[in-house]
Amino acid sequence: MDWRTVPTPGEFCGVPELLRFESGNEVRATSTTWGEVRVFRSTRPDYGDTDGDNRDEAVVYVGCRDTVTMNAQIAAGYVVYAQVGKDFAILGSITPRRKAGPYPTMLVRPEFAPGRIIVHEKWYRPNDAHCCPSGDATTVWSREGNRLTPGTTRVTS
């Protein structure tokens, strides 16, 4: 799969249109929340079958940075793609559910299970350094047809 040709929704960062990463893994866009931003995505999707059709769905990490400090991540999410024929179509976006502390919650890893995607998050407590969020949480996102719905977030530490 040539991921450069696959569109990515920018809604997690307040960008209303689909983004294309044709010349790399980062694009500039205009967020309705933060103005001009740099949106980036991982180069290695995670794969797993959530609907039992023996075809993997793909989860791609996406992040959003400001253009002032050039390194401050202001939002993150996963874009979930379902396989349709030989292509992937956007199933939806997963965003952090645990919001606390002075910095945005980080998504650590997805796990696939029948009918759901389990997402592990790292969140900042008020006294955590910028490098090191100490809170852990897990949210189970249910898949019903082509819809993703978050469950209750469980703080694990």
Side-chain angles (χ1 to χ4, degrees), residues 15-126:
V15 177
E17 68 266 359
L18 292 174
L19 304 170
R20 295 196 184 270
F21 294 80
E22 294 169 355
S23 61
N25 291 317
E26 183 177 288
V27 296
R28 287 185 181 252
T30 301
S31 167
T32 57
T33 307
W34 294 289
E36 188 177 4
V37 295
R38 296 180 310 145
V39 180
F40 61 95
R41 69 177 177 190
S42 65
T43 58
R44 295 184 183 177
D46 291 291
Y47 295 96
D49 186 10
T50 60
D51 60 0
D53 67 354
N54 294 318
R55 295 185 305 176
D56 285 343
E57 285 69 55
V59 172
V60 177
Y61 180 86
V62 289
C64 179
R65 294 183 177 126
D66 68 24
T67 56
V68 177
T69 64
M70 300 302 279
N71 64 1
Q73 185 165 305
I74 52 181
Y78 287 127
V79 178
V80 181
Y81 296 90
Q83 194 169 355
V84 178
K86 294 180 181 179
D87 297 317
F88 280 100
I90 299 166
L91 185 61
S93 295
I94 291 176
T95 54
R97 309 311 292 172
R98 174 71 180 163
K99 299 187 182 341
Y103 306 111
T105 299
M106 300 167 64
L107 298 175
V108 181
R109 72 181 188 281
E111 291 179 36
F112 297 88
R116 60 189 182 191
I117 300 172
I118 302 131
V119 176
H120 300 275
E121 305 176 8
K122 292 291 285 181
W123 56 277
Y124 290 89
R125 292 186 165 90

